C-alpha cells in the first residue's frame, strides 16, 4: 500500500484496506517472520530456547502478557522489541485523540467527523514507533493518569455540560488504542488502580466517572513484574492476575559465553577507549564470573537478584581503569590487567543487595570477596589445580614460585605502574615466565604478562602465597609472614590496616 498517496477515507477504501485488530496484526507479522526464519527479538541472548518461544506462543494466541523475573533480565527490552511486529504504518483519522481507524472509529470525535465528511475524512499515517506506550507503576499513579477524567477546563472552553462525553480527558490507556501498552513493575500499582484494569483486559472497554460509554479498545498489554515485589512492596491482585493470559518467566544468562555476549553488546565504550585499551578474554570472563559468584554468594540476597547491569557497568569501569592508567603514564595503548579490577568494586557495591551477614562485612569487603572467588574459579581454566599438589609439593609446577616467596621475597603490583615496570616486576619472579610458557606457548607479550599476573592472583586465592592490599596497589609475599603480620600501632594509615584485613584470608 502506498500510504503517502492516501489522504482521505475514500482513497483508503479504494486501496482495499480492511481494519484488523492489533493482536491480529502482531500475529500475522510474526507468522511471516517465522516462515522466513527471521529474528524477531534481535540482540536478546540466552532466551532462544526458553523465553522467546513462550513469548511467540503468547502472541500467536493473542494473549496479554506478564513478564515475570528479577531485575536486569531484559523484560522491558523484550516488550519494546514487539514493536517490530507491527505494520510499518497504519491509517488514523486526522486529529483523533484515540488513533481512530478511519473505517472503524470508536471515539465520539471519530464517529462525528466520519458522519459529517464521509469519504472526504482526512487520513494521516501513524508509524509503528509511535505505537508504543510505557508507564512505570508507582504509588502516585492515578485512575486519571491511566483511564481518564472529566476536564472542567475543556467543558468551560467548549461550553459543554459535564454530562457530555466530550468533556472527558482520556488517559494513557485509551490514547494507546491500536498500540502496545506496557506497565512496568505492575505490583507497585495500588490495588484500587489495578481494579480499574479489569474491564479493559476482559471486555476491552473503559468506564470514566459514570459515563455510559463503551469503547472497544484494541490494545496489546504487556506487564513486567519482579517476584521480590510480591512481598516487599505490593502484589498483583488475584482477579487481575487471572485476566492476564500468559505469564512468562525470565532468567539470567545460564552460561559465561552468553553473559559475555550481552556485556560486550551493551557496554557503552567510547571509540578512543576501544582504540587505546585492549581486553583479553580472561578479563572478560572474570567480569562475568563475578556475577555468577554473586548470584550464589551467601552474602548477597538471592531474591533480589544480580542484574546484568552489574557486568556491563563493571566492564565499563574496568576499561576506564586501564585507560586512566595509560593516560597517567602517557601510553598510547595498554592492556587490561588483573590489578585494574580495583575499578570494578564500585560497580559491584552499587548493584548487589546484601543480606544481614553481608551488611555486617561491608559492601567493599563483599565486592573484594566476589572478585577473589571469580579469580579462583577462572584460574582452574588456565592453570593446574594447586590443591592436587598439596601432598606432592615436589611435583608442583608452582614450587619454584612458592619457594621464592617463602625465602622472604615480595612483589608490589601498583595500580598505576607503567608497562615497563609492570613487565620488570613480573619477570623478577623465578619460574613465573616458565610456567606460562609451558602451559600457554605461542602467546604474545601482553597475553603472557596477563597470564603471569593471573598466576600470582590464583596462587594467592589458593593460599600458596599471600596477597595484601596496599594504598596504591597489591603486594604478594609468602603466606607465613602474611598470617603473622599484625597492624602496627605506629602506622597512621588506617586504610592500609583495613586493607590488610581484607586480604588476610578470611574468605578463603
Amino acid at each position: 500500500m502506498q500510504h503517502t498517496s492516501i489522504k482521505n477515507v475514500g482513497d483508503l477504501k479504494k486501496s482495499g484496506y480492511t481494519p484488523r485488530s492489533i493482536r491480529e496484526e502482531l500475529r500475522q507479522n510474526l507468522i511471516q517472520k517465522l516462515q522466513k526464519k527471521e529474528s524477531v527479538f534481535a540482540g536478546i541472548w540466552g532466551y532462544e530456547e526458553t523465553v522467546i518461544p513462550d513469548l511467540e506462543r503468547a502472541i500467536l494466541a493473542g494473549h496479554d502478557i506478564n513478564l515475570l523475573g528479577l531485575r536486569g533480565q531484559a523484560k522491558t527490552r523484550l516488550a519494546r522489541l514487539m514493536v517490530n511486529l507491527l505494520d510499518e504504518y497504519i491509517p488514523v483519522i486526522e486529529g483523533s485523540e484515540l488513533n481512530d481507524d478511519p473505517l472503524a472509529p470508536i471515539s465520539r470525535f471519530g464517529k462525528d467527523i466520519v458522519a459529517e465528511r464521509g469519504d472526504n475524512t482526512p487520513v494521516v499515517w501513524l508509524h509503528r514507533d509511535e505505537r508504543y506506550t510505557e508507564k512505570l507503576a508507582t504509588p502516585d499513579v492515578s485512575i486519571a493518569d491511566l483511564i481518564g477524567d472529566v476536564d472542567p477546563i475543556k467543558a468551560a472552553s467548549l461550553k459543554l455540560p459535564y454530562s457530555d462525553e466530550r468533556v472527558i480527558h482520556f488517559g494513557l490507556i485509551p490514547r494507546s488504542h491500536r498500540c502496545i501498552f506496557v506497565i512496568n513493575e505492575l505490583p507497585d500499582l495500588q490495588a484500587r488502580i489495578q481494579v480499574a484494569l479489569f474491564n479493559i483486559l476482559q471486555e476491552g472497554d473503559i468506564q470514566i466517572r459514570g459515563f455510559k460509554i463503551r469503547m472497544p479498545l484494541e490494545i496489546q498489554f504487556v506487564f513486567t513484574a519482579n517476584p521480590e515485589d510480591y512481598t516487599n512492596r505490593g502484589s498483583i491482585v488475584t482477579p487481575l492476575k487471572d485476566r492476564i493470559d500468559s505469564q512468562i518467566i525470565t532468567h539470567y544468562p545460564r552460561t559465561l559465553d552468553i553473559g559475555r555476549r550481552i556485556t560486550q553488546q551493551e557496554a557503552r565504550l567510547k571509540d578512543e577507549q576501544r582504540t587505546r585499551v585492549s581486553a583479553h578474554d580472561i578479563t572478560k570472563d572474570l567480569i562475568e564470573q563475578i556475577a555468577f559468584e554473586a548470584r550464589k554468594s551467601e552474602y548477597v540476597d538471592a531474591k533480589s537478584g544480580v542484574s546484568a547491569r552489574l557486568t556491563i557497568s563493571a566492564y565499563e569501569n574496568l576499561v576506564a581503569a586501564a585507560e586512566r592508567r595509560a593516560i597517567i603514564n602517557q601510553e598510547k595503548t595498554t592492556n587490561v590487567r588483573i590489578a585494574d579490577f580495583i575499578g570494578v568494586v564500585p560497580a559491584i557495591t552499587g548493584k548487589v543487595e546484601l543480606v544481614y551477614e553481608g551488611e555486617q562485612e561491608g559492601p567493599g569487603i563483599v565486592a573484594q570477596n566476589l572478585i577473589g572467588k571469580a579469580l579462583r574459579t577462572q584460574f582452574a581454566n588456565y592453570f593446574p589445580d594447586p590443591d592436587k599438589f598439596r601432598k606432592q609439593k615436589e611435583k608442583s609446577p608452582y614450587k619454584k614460585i612458592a619457594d621464592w616467596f617463602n625465602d622472604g621475597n615480595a612483589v608490589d603490583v601498583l595500580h598505576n605502574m607503567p608497562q615497563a615496570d609492570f613487565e620488570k616486576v613480573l619477570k623478577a619472579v623465578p619460574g613465573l615466565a616458565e610456567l606460562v610458557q609451558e602451559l600457554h606457548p605461542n602467546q604474545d607479550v601482553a597475553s603472557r604478562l596477563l597470564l603471569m599476573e593471573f598466576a600470582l592472583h590464583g596462587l594467592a586465592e589458593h593460599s600458596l602465597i599471600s596477597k595484601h592490599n596496599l594504598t596504591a596497589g597489591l603486594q604478594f609475599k609468602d603466606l607465613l609472614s602474611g598470617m603473622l603480620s599484625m597492624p602496627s600501632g605506629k602506622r597512621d594509615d588506617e586504610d592500609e590496616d583495613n586493607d590488610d584485613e581484607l586480604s588476610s584470608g578470611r574468605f578463603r
Side-chain angles (χ1 to χ4, degrees):
M1 182 190 304
Q2 295 296 319
H3 56 267
T4 53
S5 63
I6 297 175
K7 301 296 184 183
N8 58 52
V9 168
D11 291 340
L12 188 65
K13 290 177 180 176
K14 292 174 184 176
S15 71
Y17 168 81
T18 54
R20 62 175 178 174
S21 70
I22 185 171
R23 295 172 196 271
E24 187 62 24
E25 188 181 330
L26 290 166
R27 172 184 161 81
Q28 292 303 325
N29 290 334
L30 174 59
I31 289 172
Q32 287 180 20
K33 285 187 176 289
L34 291 175
Q35 288 173 340
K36 295 176 182 177
K37 301 192 182 302
E38 294 179 2
S39 174
V40 179
F41 299 96
I44 301 292
W45 305 106
Y47 286 172
E48 293 84 355
E49 304 300 328
T50 53
V51 176
I52 289 175
D54 284 342
L55 191 53
E56 290 174 346
R57 293 181 195 110
I59 293 169
L60 291 173
H63 284 176
D64 291 314
I65 299 162
N66 182 29
L67 296 170
L68 179 66
L70 295 172
R71 56 184 176 176
Q73 292 186 351
K75 300 186 294 294
T76 305
R77 172 74 67 86
L78 284 168
R80 289 174 180 172
L81 287 173
M82 284 178 63
V83 170
N84 295 330
L85 291 174
L86 297 172
D87 291 342
E88 186 175 9
Y89 287 93
I90 58 167
V92 172
I93 295 174
E94 186 176 16
S96 170
E97 190 180 2
L98 305 187
N99 302 323
D100 280 299
D101 189 308
L103 302 188
I106 64 167
S107 71
R108 171 74 177 269
F109 170 85
K111 291 175 181 176
D112 286 351
I113 195 169
V114 169
E116 178 187 340
R117 303 187 62 175
D119 286 352
N120 292 321
T121 302
V123 170
V124 294
W125 293 84
L126 190 67
H127 192 264
R128 59 182 164 217
D129 289 344
E130 300 176 81
R131 298 175 62 196
Y132 177 88
T133 306
E134 189 174 297
K135 179 65 177 174
L136 177 63
T138 54
D140 63 333
V141 173
S142 67
I143 299 278
D145 294 333
L146 292 182
I147 313 299
D149 204 348
V150 172
D151 184 351
I153 296 176
K154 185 184 285 188
S157 61
L158 296 177
K159 297 181 180 180
L160 295 171
Y162 282 174
S163 58
D164 193 311
E165 68 180 75
R166 286 174 291 179
V167 304
I168 296 173
H169 170 73
F170 292 105
L172 282 173
I173 291 178
R175 296 205 305 272
S176 298
H177 176 53
R178 303 170 75 198
C179 299
I180 296 171
F181 190 85
V182 178
I183 298 182
N184 279 321
E185 310 300 342
L186 181 60
D188 285 350
L189 206 61
Q190 292 185 46
R192 65 184 184 86
I193 312 298
Q194 292 185 36
V195 169
L197 300 176
F198 289 180
N199 257 43
I200 300 170
L201 286 173
Q202 192 68 47
E203 286 80 25
D205 64 1
I206 58 169
Q207 298 175 3
I208 297 175
R209 289 281 186 177
F211 276 98
K212 293 183 179 179
I213 55 173
R214 177 172 175 79
M215 288 189 175
L217 296 171
E218 286 291 343
I219 299 173
Q220 172 65 57
F221 279 98
V222 181
F223 304 98
T224 73
N226 188 323
E228 183 192 19
D229 295 345
Y230 285 89
T231 54
N232 284 6
R233 296 198 293 268
S235 64
I236 303 176
V237 297
T238 305
L240 178 60
K241 194 174 181 181
D242 184 54
R243 285 167 165 80
I244 301 173
D245 306 302
S246 287
Q247 179 167 280
I248 299 169
I249 299 174
T250 59
H251 56 81
Y252 286 121
R254 291 174 175 169
T255 67
L256 228 60
D257 180 60
I258 292 171
R260 253 181 67 174
R261 197 179 299 182
I262 294 169
T263 300
Q264 296 304 308
Q265 174 182 279
E266 299 299 322
R268 297 165 296 181
L269 300 182
K270 309 292 186 294
D271 290 339
E272 56 188 309
Q273 289 179 315
R274 297 182 190 277
T275 302
R276 178 171 243 160
V277 180
S278 298
H280 194 280
D281 287 347
I282 291 174
T283 58
K284 295 176 182 178
D285 285 344
L286 281 171
I287 288 290
E288 302 306 322
Q289 191 66 49
I290 290 170
F292 275 75
E293 297 296 340
R295 288 172 190 141
K296 60 184 180 183
S297 172
E298 61 183 338
Y299 296 116
V300 177
D301 185 0
K303 293 180 181 178
S304 179
V306 178
S307 168
R309 299 183 190 95
L310 182 148
T311 56
I312 296 166
S313 295
Y315 184 69
E316 291 169 348
N317 271 15
L318 182 67
V319 172
E323 181 188 29
R324 178 179 179 273
R325 170 170 46 77
I327 293 169
I328 289 172
N329 295 321
Q330 298 182 352
E331 296 169 348
K332 292 183 178 179
T333 60
T334 191
N335 294 275
V336 172
R337 303 172 186 169
I338 306 297
D340 293 326
F341 274 76
I342 187 68
V344 171
V345 172
I348 301 173
T349 56
K351 288 185 167 54
V352 293
E353 296 292 328
L354 304 180
V355 295
Y356 176 76
E357 292 81 2
E359 294 288 357
Q360 292 296 103
E361 295 294 344
I365 294 179
V366 172
Q368 293 277 9
N369 174 28
L370 294 175
I371 294 171
K373 286 187 173 181
L375 285 164
R376 183 185 175 100
T377 302
Q378 283 298 310
F379 184 76
N381 294 332
Y382 297 90
F383 296 95
D385 185 356
D387 294 335
K388 293 181 179 179
F389 302 99
R390 295 284 184 191
K391 296 180 180 179
Q392 299 176 320
K393 293 185 178 180
E394 294 302 320
K395 295 182 180 180
S396 172
Y398 310 113
K399 184 178 185 303
K400 190 174 182 180
I401 301 170
D403 286 348
W404 185 77
F405 281 104
N406 289 336
D407 288 340
N409 296 297
V411 165
D412 291 350
V413 180
L414 305 181
H415 299 317
N416 297 325
M417 183 177 280
Q419 183 66 19
D421 294 347
F422 179 67
E423 186 171 348
K424 181 180 177 181
V425 162
L426 292 177
K427 288 183 176 179
V429 181
L432 190 56
E434 292 86 340
L435 173 71
V436 171
Q437 179 61 31
E438 181 182 346
L439 296 172
H440 302 281
N442 305 320
Q443 296 287 326
D444 58 36
V445 174
S447 298
R448 283 202 305 272
L449 290 174
L450 177 65
L451 285 161
M452 289 165 70
E453 184 192 12
F454 189 21
L456 289 180
H457 283 270
L459 294 178
E461 293 301 324
H462 283 85
S463 300
L464 291 186
I465 60 176
S466 65
K467 177 172 66 174
H468 302 268
N469 281 342
L470 306 174
T471 303
L474 297 167
Q475 184 180 71
F476 296 92
K477 55 183 179 180
D478 69 291
L479 186 64
L480 186 61
S481 67
M483 294 172 65
L484 295 177
S485 64
M486 296 293 291
S488 170
K490 296 179 181 179
R491 289 170 59 186
D492 295 325
D493 190 351
E494 293 183 7
D495 289 339
E496 195 162 321
D497 293 344
N498 293 334
D499 287 339
D500 278 343
E501 292 177 11
L502 251 175
S503 54
S504 61
R506 65 196 296 179
F507 291 113
R508 297 193 188 107

